[in-house]
Amino acid sequence: MKKILLLAFLFLFTNTHFAQQSQLSSQAEISVLTVGPGSSLNDAFGHSAFRIKDVNKDIDVVYGYGEYDFDAPNFYLKFAQGKLNYLINKTEFNRFYQIYKYYDRGIKEQLLNLSQSEKQKLYDYLIDNYKPENRRYLYEFFFDNCATKIKDVTNVTLNNTITFNKPRGFKDSTFRTLIQNNLNRNSWGSLGIDLALGSVIDRQATPEQHMFLPENIYRFFEHATIESYNKPLVKSNRVLYVKKDIPQTSNFLLSPLFILSIISLLIIYTTCKDYTKSKRSKWLDVILFILTGLIGILILLLWFATDHTGTHQNYNLLWAFALNVLFAHQLLKTKASRWFIKYLKFLIILLSLLTLHWIIGVQVFAIGLTPLLIALFIRYIFLIKYYGKL
């Protein structure tokens, strides 16, 4: 009986102590931190997090929703499939600040205009969310990421009474435009995004959907109001760290537009040479069919074999046609079958449809691909004429 009473006392004491520790004082502040973009593709869009500061309780921590779950089984496979869980993480503010200062990424802070009960509710939500059984969430780049979580948690705290007004200089944009505004269009990262993501991201995003980007969380929060109190969501803001004004340099000679232009010129040069000599470079045709076919298979897998919503309806398949892999062996023959000549004409029709899709805005394609698409068109025309003479 004494043991039971002792255990009950310890349990009650532990819970009471934890409740006291998590109870914020009247001096507590909750703010949203916005971190600027980094130098690599994975941090090119910035980061958002909550800061909980209470000098009376010696609390100054940051909660963010951008941590990978490296312990997840089949990590890389789940990442590719769009089934990877991300984690909410907790960091001491000083460590958080020093990390982003070291990587020279700007930090801005917005102090939220919350009542004491709202501060406590938000803090309790984060504490509960940080528990091992609650930390994981299924990441989705456009609708469930480190920035949208800030919006959603703040909305839950205020019972969905936030009105997000359009910030100054707001422009309606597609999801692709919002992404590419943060990138150099003539970069391999930009080309990879335009290659992997389909026409679904070429639709116009609603104003609130703009907040999948941390910088737009900052802009929209700055102009948001709380309906129930008719007061601004943000009480004040300040800059914690200013990024050094170091100009970003890029080497055009290593850019996709330059390299793919060189490759395309080689394809066109070889085609002209073949036309002049009435011969055909089989190795070039086999390489082109295998490469475009493999890229097409990858696009199909991203579309149908993953949970990534942004990879659907990808019309890059009009130039990277997956069946090219199966028919590449036809190019080793001296004389082509009639059906294969019709297949080559079909590939030209697909390239024409791609151009139409681009012109009318169904899907925007990577600028760096332009010379390659021209080269493929010329090569297919040559093959049809070459086989037609045999």
Side-chain angles (χ1 to χ4, degrees):
M1 187 65 181
K2 289 180 180 180
K3 288 181 179 180
I4 293 173
L5 289 173
L6 179 61
L7 288 171
F9 173 77
L10 288 172
F11 178 78
L12 181 63
F13 175 79
T14 302
N15 282 308
T16 303
H17 178 70
F18 177 77
Q20 290 174 345
Q21 286 292 101
S22 63
Q23 191 71 32
L24 295 173
S25 75
S26 59
Q27 301 300 311
E29 296 178 342
I30 296 183
S31 56
V32 172
L33 301 176
T34 301
V35 179
S39 56
S40 58
L41 181 62
N42 67 307
D43 56 24
F45 306 102
H47 181 52
S48 296
F50 285 111
R51 180 186 182 185
I52 316 295
K53 183 180 179 182
D54 191 342
V55 291
N56 288 351
K57 293 294 186 74
D58 197 26
I59 297 173
D60 197 357
V61 295
V62 177
Y63 287 90
Y65 285 84
E67 185 176 312
Y68 294 109
D69 184 8
F70 286 107
D71 295 327
N74 304 312
F75 175 85
Y76 293 104
L77 178 61
K78 287 185 176 180
F79 181 83
Q81 292 176 328
K83 298 179 179 180
L84 181 66
N85 285 322
Y86 275 39
L87 305 173
I88 177 176
N89 65 322
K90 176 183 174 183
T91 314
E92 291 295 325
F93 171 75
N94 187 56
R95 183 173 183 274
F96 178 92
Y97 177 84
Q98 293 300 329
I99 288 172
Y100 287 111
K101 180 182 177 183
Y102 175 81
Y103 288 105
D104 192 32
R105 296 174 64 181
I107 307 172
K108 296 182 289 189
E109 182 176 33
Q110 294 171 300
L111 184 62
L112 298 182
N113 197 9
L114 306 178
S115 67
Q116 184 63 28
S117 61
E118 289 165 346
K119 293 175 190 176
Q120 191 62 55
K121 183 179 179 181
L122 196 155
Y123 187 40
D124 289 342
Y125 183 96
L126 294 173
I127 290 173
D128 183 67
N129 211 177
Y130 188 67
K131 292 177 180 177
E133 63 272 23
N134 300 331
R135 287 187 69 193
R136 292 167 175 78
Y137 74 99
L138 189 60
Y139 177 87
E140 213 288 327
F141 180 76
F142 293 105
F143 305 110
D144 206 356
N145 64 17
C146 73
T148 62
K149 284 290 187 183
I150 301 299
K151 171 180 65 73
D152 295 341
V153 172
T154 307
N155 241 336
V156 167
T157 300
L158 294 167
N159 300 313
N160 296 311
T161 59
I162 303 175
T163 299
F164 292 108
N165 304 300
K166 292 180 181 179
R168 296 186 190 93
F170 175 84
K171 292 181 180 179
D172 288 317
S173 301
T174 65
F175 287 97
R176 192 184 302 274
T177 300
L178 290 169
I179 294 174
Q180 294 293 0
N181 285 343
N182 291 269
L183 300 172
N184 175 1
R185 289 303 299 265
N186 189 22
S187 65
W188 291 104
S190 173
L191 184 141
I193 286 173
D194 279 343
L195 187 61
L197 301 183
S199 62
V200 291
I201 71 165
D202 287 295
R203 63 181 175 84
Q204 186 170 291
T206 65
E208 190 167 330
Q209 286 174 340
H210 281 231
M211 284 189 276
F212 77 91
L213 294 171
E215 181 58 31
N216 286 338
I217 285 288
Y218 183 89
R219 294 176 63 211
F220 274 86
F221 269 46
E222 199 68 18
H223 295 83
T225 55
I226 304 173
E227 296 173 7
S228 51
Y229 303 109
N230 193 26
K231 64 179 183 180
L233 176 61
V234 174
K235 184 185 293 185
S236 63
N237 60 69
R238 60 177 178 151
V239 176
L240 300 181
Y241 177 73
V242 180
K243 177 181 173 64
K244 296 172 185 175
D245 191 16
I246 302 174
Q248 297 291 323
T249 58
S250 58
N251 190 344
F252 179 73
L253 298 180
L254 297 177
S255 70
L257 184 59
F258 179 79
I259 291 176
L260 291 177
S261 293
I262 296 298
I263 293 172
S264 300
L265 286 173
L266 289 173
I267 294 171
I268 295 171
Y269 170 77
T270 304
T271 302
C272 292
K273 192 176 177 181
D274 286 350
Y275 179 78
T276 303
K277 295 185 177 181
S278 298
K279 69 180 188 68
R280 182 171 67 86
S281 301
K282 294 181 181 180
W283 60 268
L284 175 61
D285 298 324
V286 171
I287 289 173
L288 288 177
F289 261 58
I290 290 176
L291 284 179
T292 54
L294 289 176
I295 293 171
I297 290 171
L298 177 60
I299 291 170
L300 283 173
L301 289 173
L302 286 172
W303 183 346
F304 294 104
T306 74
D307 291 342
H308 296 292
T309 56
T311 57
H312 294 183
Q313 300 170 32
N314 191 341
Y315 295 111
N316 276 291
L317 287 169
L318 295 174
W319 70 269
F321 201 57
L323 290 179
N324 283 1
V325 169
L326 297 179
F327 301 148
H329 69 280
Q330 291 290 327
L331 295 160
L332 296 173
K333 299 179 180 179
T334 304
K335 189 175 181 180
S337 305
R338 285 187 178 181
W339 69 265
F340 187 67
I341 296 175
K342 291 179 181 179
Y343 179 75
L344 290 170
K345 292 178 180 178
F346 175 65
L347 292 180
I348 291 176
I349 293 172
L350 293 184
L351 285 174
S352 301
L353 284 174
L354 182 148
T355 305
L356 180 63
H357 279 63
W358 201 340
I359 292 172
I360 65 177
V362 174
Q363 181 169 335
V364 175
F365 299 91
I367 294 172
L369 285 176
T370 307
L372 180 61
L373 298 177
I374 294 171
L376 287 175
F377 186 85
I378 292 172
R379 189 67 189 178
Y380 292 156
I381 291 288
F382 163 76
L383 287 175
I384 292 171
K385 289 185 176 297
Y386 177 83
Y387 284 128
K389 292 178 181 179
L390 296 179

